[in-house]
mmCIF file of all heavy atoms in Angstrom:
data_model
loop_
_atom_site.group_PDB
_atom_site.id
_atom_site.type_symbol
_atom_site.label_atom_id
_atom_site.label_comp_id
_atom_site.label_asym_id
_atom_site.label_seq_id
_atom_site.Cartn_x
_atom_site.Cartn_y
_atom_site.Cartn_z
ATOM 1 N N GLN A 1 0.828 -1.207 0.000
ATOM 2 C CA GLN A 1 0.000 0.000 0.000
ATOM 3 C C GLN A 1 0.865 1.259 0.000
ATOM 4 O O GLN A 1 0.568 2.230 -0.702
ATOM 5 C CB GLN A 1 -0.905 -0.012 1.240
ATOM 6 C CG GLN A 1 -1.864 -1.181 1.293
ATOM 7 C CD GLN A 1 -3.295 -0.784 0.972
ATOM 8 O OE1 GLN A 1 -3.663 0.376 1.028
ATOM 9 N NE2 GLN A 1 -4.105 -1.762 0.626
ATOM 10 N N ALA A 2 1.950 1.231 0.765
ATOM 11 C CA ALA A 2 2.841 2.388 0.828
ATOM 12 C C ALA A 2 3.512 2.629 -0.522
ATOM 13 O O ALA A 2 3.659 3.783 -0.961
ATOM 14 C CB ALA A 2 3.891 2.189 1.914
ATOM 15 N N LEU A 3 3.933 1.565 -1.200
ATOM 16 C CA LEU A 3 4.555 1.710 -2.516
ATOM 17 C C LEU A 3 3.565 2.307 -3.506
ATOM 18 O O LEU A 3 3.912 3.223 -4.266
ATOM 19 C CB LEU A 3 5.051 0.351 -3.013
ATOM 20 C CG LEU A 3 5.608 0.325 -4.439
ATOM 21 C CD1 LEU A 3 6.855 1.183 -4.553
ATOM 22 C CD2 LEU A 3 5.889 -1.114 -4.874
ATOM 23 N N ALA A 4 2.346 1.804 -3.524
ATOM 24 C CA ALA A 4 1.337 2.325 -4.440
ATOM 25 C C ALA A 4 1.095 3.802 -4.199
ATOM 26 O O ALA A 4 0.988 4.597 -5.155
ATOM 27 C CB ALA A 4 0.037 1.533 -4.301
ATOM 28 N N ALA A 5 1.020 4.201 -2.934
ATOM 29 C CA ALA A 5 0.819 5.611 -2.617
ATOM 30 C C ALA A 5 2.016 6.454 -3.043
ATOM 31 O O ALA A 5 1.863 7.565 -3.569
ATOM 32 C CB ALA A 5 0.553 5.769 -1.119
ATOM 33 N N GLU A 6 3.209 5.916 -2.838
ATOM 34 C CA GLU A 6 4.431 6.650 -3.188
ATOM 35 C C GLU A 6 4.512 6.943 -4.674
ATOM 36 O O GLU A 6 4.896 8.055 -5.082
ATOM 37 C CB GLU A 6 5.653 5.835 -2.763
ATOM 38 C CG GLU A 6 6.987 6.447 -3.174
ATOM 39 C CD GLU A 6 8.156 5.502 -2.974
ATOM 40 O OE1 GLU A 6 7.985 4.478 -2.268
ATOM 41 O OE2 GLU A 6 9.229 5.773 -3.532
ATOM 42 N N VAL A 7 4.168 5.962 -5.512
ATOM 43 C CA VAL A 7 4.349 6.116 -6.962
ATOM 44 C C VAL A 7 3.061 6.500 -7.680
ATOM 45 O O VAL A 7 3.061 6.670 -8.902
ATOM 46 C CB VAL A 7 4.931 4.828 -7.581
ATOM 47 C CG1 VAL A 7 6.265 4.500 -6.945
ATOM 48 C CG2 VAL A 7 3.965 3.656 -7.459
ATOM 49 N N GLY A 8 1.958 6.623 -6.940
ATOM 50 C CA GLY A 8 0.694 6.993 -7.565
ATOM 51 C C GLY A 8 0.107 5.897 -8.433
ATOM 52 O O GLY A 8 -0.480 6.179 -9.487
ATOM 53 N N ALA A 9 0.267 4.648 -8.011
ATOM 54 C CA ALA A 9 -0.202 3.505 -8.793
ATOM 55 C C ALA A 9 -1.452 2.910 -8.178
ATOM 56 O O ALA A 9 -1.731 3.073 -6.989
ATOM 57 C CB ALA A 9 0.888 2.432 -8.869
ATOM 58 N N GLY A 10 -2.203 2.190 -9.005
ATOM 59 C CA GLY A 10 -3.316 1.416 -8.516
ATOM 60 C C GLY A 10 -2.841 0.088 -7.966
ATOM 61 O O GLY A 10 -1.690 -0.307 -8.145
ATOM 62 N N LEU A 11 -3.739 -0.619 -7.314
ATOM 63 C CA LEU A 11 -3.437 -1.924 -6.730
ATOM 64 C C LEU A 11 -4.518 -2.911 -7.121
ATOM 65 O O LEU A 11 -5.710 -2.584 -7.116
ATOM 66 C CB LEU A 11 -3.372 -1.831 -5.204
ATOM 67 C CG LEU A 11 -2.020 -1.583 -4.550
ATOM 68 C CD1 LEU A 11 -2.197 -1.396 -3.053
ATOM 69 C CD2 LEU A 11 -1.057 -2.725 -4.832
ATOM 70 N N ALA A 12 -4.095 -4.132 -7.466
ATOM 71 C CA ALA A 12 -5.057 -5.172 -7.799
ATOM 72 C C ALA A 12 -4.382 -6.520 -7.648
ATOM 73 O O ALA A 12 -3.146 -6.612 -7.577
ATOM 74 C CB ALA A 12 -5.580 -4.998 -9.229
ATOM 75 N N LEU A 13 -5.175 -7.568 -7.613
ATOM 76 C CA LEU A 13 -4.616 -8.899 -7.680
ATOM 77 C C LEU A 13 -3.973 -9.090 -9.062
ATOM 78 O O LEU A 13 -4.375 -8.445 -10.036
ATOM 79 C CB LEU A 13 -5.694 -9.942 -7.446
ATOM 80 C CG LEU A 13 -6.278 -9.979 -6.019
ATOM 81 C CD1 LEU A 13 -7.496 -10.895 -5.975
ATOM 82 C CD2 LEU A 13 -5.221 -10.442 -5.022
ATOM 83 N N PRO A 14 -2.956 -9.942 -9.164
ATOM 84 C CA PRO A 14 -2.196 -10.035 -10.424
ATOM 85 C C PRO A 14 -3.055 -10.276 -11.664
ATOM 86 O O PRO A 14 -2.859 -9.616 -12.697
ATOM 87 C CB PRO A 14 -1.239 -11.197 -10.156
ATOM 88 C CG PRO A 14 -1.004 -11.137 -8.682
ATOM 89 C CD PRO A 14 -2.329 -10.750 -8.108
ATOM 90 N N GLU A 15 -4.002 -11.205 -11.620
ATOM 91 C CA GLU A 15 -4.798 -11.502 -12.813
ATOM 92 C C GLU A 15 -5.624 -10.295 -13.239
ATOM 93 O O GLU A 15 -5.724 -9.978 -14.437
ATOM 94 C CB GLU A 15 -5.708 -12.706 -12.564
ATOM 95 C CG GLU A 15 -6.487 -13.131 -13.798
ATOM 96 C CD GLU A 15 -7.311 -14.386 -13.577
ATOM 97 O OE1 GLU A 15 -7.353 -14.893 -12.442
ATOM 98 O OE2 GLU A 15 -7.916 -14.870 -14.566
ATOM 99 N N ALA A 16 -6.211 -9.586 -12.274
ATOM 100 C CA ALA A 16 -7.008 -8.411 -12.606
ATOM 101 C C ALA A 16 -6.136 -7.289 -13.165
ATOM 102 O O ALA A 16 -6.516 -6.606 -14.122
ATOM 103 C CB ALA A 16 -7.764 -7.928 -11.366
ATOM 104 N N ALA A 17 -4.950 -7.092 -12.561
ATOM 105 C CA ALA A 17 -4.041 -6.051 -13.043
ATOM 106 C C ALA A 17 -3.616 -6.321 -14.476
ATOM 107 O O ALA A 17 -3.628 -5.432 -15.336
ATOM 108 C CB ALA A 17 -2.820 -5.962 -12.131
ATOM 109 N N ALA A 18 -3.238 -7.574 -14.760
ATOM 110 C CA ALA A 18 -2.791 -7.927 -16.108
ATOM 111 C C ALA A 18 -3.929 -7.829 -17.111
ATOM 112 O O ALA A 18 -3.734 -7.351 -18.238
ATOM 113 C CB ALA A 18 -2.207 -9.342 -16.100
ATOM 114 N N GLY A 19 -5.120 -8.254 -16.722
ATOM 115 C CA GLY A 19 -6.251 -8.238 -17.632
ATOM 116 C C GLY A 19 -6.651 -6.853 -18.077
ATOM 117 O O GLY A 19 -7.150 -6.668 -19.193
ATOM 118 N N ALA A 20 -6.433 -5.848 -17.237
ATOM 119 C CA ALA A 20 -6.836 -4.476 -17.557
ATOM 120 C C ALA A 20 -5.739 -3.669 -18.236
ATOM 121 O O ALA A 20 -5.975 -2.525 -18.625
ATOM 122 C CB ALA A 20 -7.281 -3.775 -16.274
ATOM 123 N N ALA A 21 -4.549 -4.245 -18.390
ATOM 124 C CA ALA A 21 -3.393 -3.485 -18.879
ATOM 125 C C ALA A 21 -3.176 -3.684 -20.374
ATOM 126 O O ALA A 21 -3.606 -4.682 -20.971
ATOM 127 C CB ALA A 21 -2.145 -3.908 -18.120
ATOM 128 N N ASP A 22 -2.477 -2.716 -20.980
ATOM 129 C CA ASP A 22 -2.019 -2.846 -22.363
ATOM 130 C C ASP A 22 -0.666 -3.547 -22.414
ATOM 131 O O ASP A 22 -0.359 -4.249 -23.375
ATOM 132 C CB ASP A 22 -1.875 -1.460 -23.004
ATOM 133 C CG ASP A 22 -3.154 -0.656 -22.932
ATOM 134 O OD1 ASP A 22 -4.204 -1.195 -23.331
ATOM 135 O OD2 ASP A 22 -3.113 0.504 -22.475
ATOM 136 N N LEU A 23 0.141 -3.310 -21.403
ATOM 137 C CA LEU A 23 1.498 -3.858 -21.329
ATOM 138 C C LEU A 23 1.714 -4.400 -19.928
ATOM 139 O O LEU A 23 1.381 -3.731 -18.943
ATOM 140 C CB LEU A 23 2.522 -2.783 -21.681
ATOM 141 C CG LEU A 23 3.998 -3.169 -21.687
ATOM 142 C CD1 LEU A 23 4.766 -2.351 -22.741
ATOM 143 C CD2 LEU A 23 4.638 -2.947 -20.318
ATOM 144 N N ILE A 24 2.254 -5.603 -19.835
ATOM 145 C CA ILE A 24 2.474 -6.265 -18.551
ATOM 146 C C ILE A 24 3.957 -6.492 -18.356
ATOM 147 O O ILE A 24 4.641 -6.984 -19.260
ATOM 148 C CB ILE A 24 1.721 -7.615 -18.498
ATOM 149 C CG1 ILE A 24 0.204 -7.395 -18.634
ATOM 150 C CG2 ILE A 24 2.026 -8.367 -17.213
ATOM 151 C CD1 ILE A 24 -0.330 -7.588 -20.019
ATOM 152 N N ILE A 25 4.464 -6.134 -17.188
ATOM 153 C CA ILE A 25 5.860 -6.361 -16.820
ATOM 154 C C ILE A 25 5.917 -7.455 -15.773
ATOM 155 O O ILE A 25 5.298 -7.342 -14.710
ATOM 156 C CB ILE A 25 6.500 -5.070 -16.272
ATOM 157 C CG1 ILE A 25 6.452 -3.952 -17.318
ATOM 158 C CG2 ILE A 25 7.948 -5.330 -15.835
ATOM 159 C CD1 ILE A 25 6.889 -2.591 -16.788
ATOM 160 N N LEU A 26 6.646 -8.518 -16.078
ATOM 161 C CA LEU A 26 6.801 -9.634 -15.139
ATOM 162 C C LEU A 26 8.063 -9.406 -14.316
ATOM 163 O O LEU A 26 9.173 -9.460 -14.841
ATOM 164 C CB LEU A 26 6.894 -10.953 -15.900
ATOM 165 C CG LEU A 26 5.715 -11.292 -16.816
ATOM 166 C CD1 LEU A 26 5.976 -12.603 -17.553
ATOM 167 C CD2 LEU A 26 4.407 -11.364 -16.032
ATOM 168 N N ALA A 27 7.891 -9.154 -13.034
ATOM 169 C CA ALA A 27 9.010 -8.891 -12.131
ATOM 170 C C ALA A 27 8.894 -9.830 -10.937
ATOM 171 O O ALA A 27 8.665 -9.405 -9.803
ATOM 172 C CB ALA A 27 9.001 -7.427 -11.680
ATOM 173 N N LEU A 28 9.071 -11.119 -11.210
ATOM 174 C CA LEU A 28 8.848 -12.163 -10.219
ATOM 175 C C LEU A 28 10.115 -12.966 -9.991
ATOM 176 O O LEU A 28 10.944 -13.092 -10.891
ATOM 177 C CB LEU A 28 7.750 -13.118 -10.717
ATOM 178 C CG LEU A 28 6.371 -12.511 -10.945
ATOM 179 C CD1 LEU A 28 5.564 -13.378 -11.906
ATOM 180 C CD2 LEU A 28 5.644 -12.361 -9.617
ATOM 181 N N PRO A 29 10.283 -13.557 -8.813
ATOM 182 C CA PRO A 29 11.382 -14.511 -8.624
ATOM 183 C C PRO A 29 11.184 -15.698 -9.553
ATOM 184 O O PRO A 29 10.055 -16.177 -9.733
ATOM 185 C CB PRO A 29 11.252 -14.926 -7.152
ATOM 186 C CG PRO A 29 10.397 -13.871 -6.512
ATOM 187 C CD PRO A 29 9.488 -13.371 -7.591
ATOM 188 N N TRP A 30 12.269 -16.190 -10.132
ATOM 189 C CA TRP A 30 12.142 -17.247 -11.132
ATOM 190 C C TRP A 30 11.523 -18.521 -10.555
ATOM 191 O O TRP A 30 10.791 -19.235 -11.241
ATOM 192 C CB TRP A 30 13.505 -17.552 -11.745
ATOM 193 C CG TRP A 30 13.428 -18.574 -12.839
ATOM 194 C CD1 TRP A 30 13.887 -19.856 -12.815
ATOM 195 C CD2 TRP A 30 12.813 -18.399 -14.121
ATOM 196 N NE1 TRP A 30 13.595 -20.492 -14.004
ATOM 197 C CE2 TRP A 30 12.936 -19.617 -14.822
ATOM 198 C CE3 TRP A 30 12.172 -17.321 -14.748
ATOM 199 C CZ2 TRP A 30 12.457 -19.794 -16.118
ATOM 200 C CZ3 TRP A 30 11.678 -17.500 -16.033
ATOM 201 C CH2 TRP A 30 11.825 -18.721 -16.701
ATOM 202 N N ASP A 31 11.771 -18.800 -9.291
ATOM 203 C CA ASP A 31 11.281 -20.069 -8.738
ATOM 204 C C ASP A 31 9.767 -20.101 -8.557
ATOM 205 O O ASP A 31 9.197 -21.173 -8.322
ATOM 206 C CB ASP A 31 12.000 -20.412 -7.428
ATOM 207 C CG ASP A 31 11.824 -19.356 -6.356
ATOM 208 O OD1 ASP A 31 11.280 -18.271 -6.647
ATOM 209 O OD2 ASP A 31 12.245 -19.600 -5.208
ATOM 210 N N VAL A 32 9.104 -18.966 -8.646
ATOM 211 C CA VAL A 32 7.638 -18.953 -8.562
ATOM 212 C C VAL A 32 7.006 -18.495 -9.870
ATOM 213 O O VAL A 32 5.781 -18.374 -9.964
ATOM 214 C CB VAL A 32 7.145 -18.041 -7.410
ATOM 215 C CG1 VAL A 32 7.756 -18.481 -6.089
ATOM 216 C CG2 VAL A 32 7.449 -16.574 -7.682
ATOM 217 N N ALA A 33 7.827 -18.259 -10.876
ATOM 218 C CA ALA A 33 7.348 -17.599 -12.094
ATOM 219 C C ALA A 33 6.308 -18.423 -12.848
ATOM 220 O O ALA A 33 5.277 -17.881 -13.265
ATOM 221 C CB ALA A 33 8.521 -17.270 -13.009
ATOM 222 N N GLU A 34 6.567 -19.701 -13.036
ATOM 223 C CA GLU A 34 5.665 -20.481 -13.893
ATOM 224 C C GLU A 34 4.237 -20.460 -13.371
ATOM 225 O O GLU A 34 3.291 -20.155 -14.113
ATOM 226 C CB GLU A 34 6.159 -21.914 -14.039
ATOM 227 C CG GLU A 34 5.271 -22.745 -14.948
ATOM 228 C CD GLU A 34 5.817 -24.137 -15.225
ATOM 229 O OE1 GLU A 34 6.857 -24.499 -14.636
ATOM 230 O OE2 GLU A 34 5.200 -24.859 -16.034
ATOM 231 N N ALA A 35 4.058 -20.787 -12.108
ATOM 232 C CA ALA A 35 2.705 -20.819 -11.551
ATOM 233 C C ALA A 35 2.072 -19.435 -11.572
ATOM 234 O O ALA A 35 0.888 -19.277 -11.906
ATOM 235 C CB ALA A 35 2.737 -21.361 -10.126
ATOM 236 N N ALA A 36 2.871 -18.413 -11.235
ATOM 237 C CA ALA A 36 2.328 -17.054 -11.188
ATOM 238 C C ALA A 36 1.933 -16.567 -12.576
ATOM 239 O O ALA A 36 0.873 -15.949 -12.757
ATOM 240 C CB ALA A 36 3.355 -16.110 -10.564
ATOM 241 N N VAL A 37 2.768 -16.840 -13.585
ATOM 242 C CA VAL A 37 2.476 -16.381 -14.944
ATOM 243 C C VAL A 37 1.265 -17.110 -15.509
ATOM 244 O O VAL A 37 0.373 -16.499 -16.113
ATOM 245 C CB VAL A 37 3.716 -16.564 -15.844
ATOM 246 C CG1 VAL A 37 3.363 -16.326 -17.309
ATOM 247 C CG2 VAL A 37 4.818 -15.606 -15.415
ATOM 248 N N LYS A 38 1.211 -18.417 -15.314
ATOM 249 C CA LYS A 38 0.059 -19.173 -15.801
ATOM 250 C C LYS A 38 -1.228 -18.742 -15.099
ATOM 251 O O LYS A 38 -2.317 -18.864 -15.660
ATOM 252 C CB LYS A 38 0.295 -20.665 -15.614
ATOM 253 C CG LYS A 38 1.329 -21.237 -16.566
ATOM 254 C CD LYS A 38 1.542 -22.735 -16.344
ATOM 255 C CE LYS A 38 2.498 -23.328 -17.361
ATOM 256 N NZ LYS A 38 2.736 -24.782 -17.130
ATOM 257 N N GLY A 39 -1.106 -18.208 -13.896
ATOM 258 C CA GLY A 39 -2.271 -17.743 -13.157
ATOM 259 C C GLY A 39 -2.809 -16.407 -13.625
ATOM 260 O O GLY A 39 -3.857 -15.960 -13.142
ATOM 261 N N LEU A 40 -2.127 -15.763 -14.569
ATOM 262 C CA LEU A 40 -2.587 -14.454 -15.060
ATOM 263 C C LEU A 40 -3.716 -14.571 -16.066
ATOM 264 O O LEU A 40 -4.319 -13.572 -16.440
ATOM 265 C CB LEU A 40 -1.416 -13.695 -15.697
ATOM 266 C CG LEU A 40 -0.271 -13.326 -14.767
ATOM 267 C CD1 LEU A 40 0.849 -12.643 -15.542
ATOM 268 C CD2 LEU A 40 -0.752 -12.430 -13.622
ATOM 269 N N GLY A 41 -3.999 -15.779 -16.542
ATOM 270 C CA GLY A 41 -5.050 -15.956 -17.526
ATOM 271 C C GLY A 41 -4.564 -15.633 -18.929
ATOM 272 O O GLY A 41 -3.364 -15.477 -19.175
#
């Protein structure tokens, strides 16, 4: 919440954030990447 306020960004669960975006940046640890990326829909 503090980061979002600092940079003036919105907050959402990953799938919702990706679904509403034109461009998605994946900034995840590699060991969790596959499950997290596949979970974006």
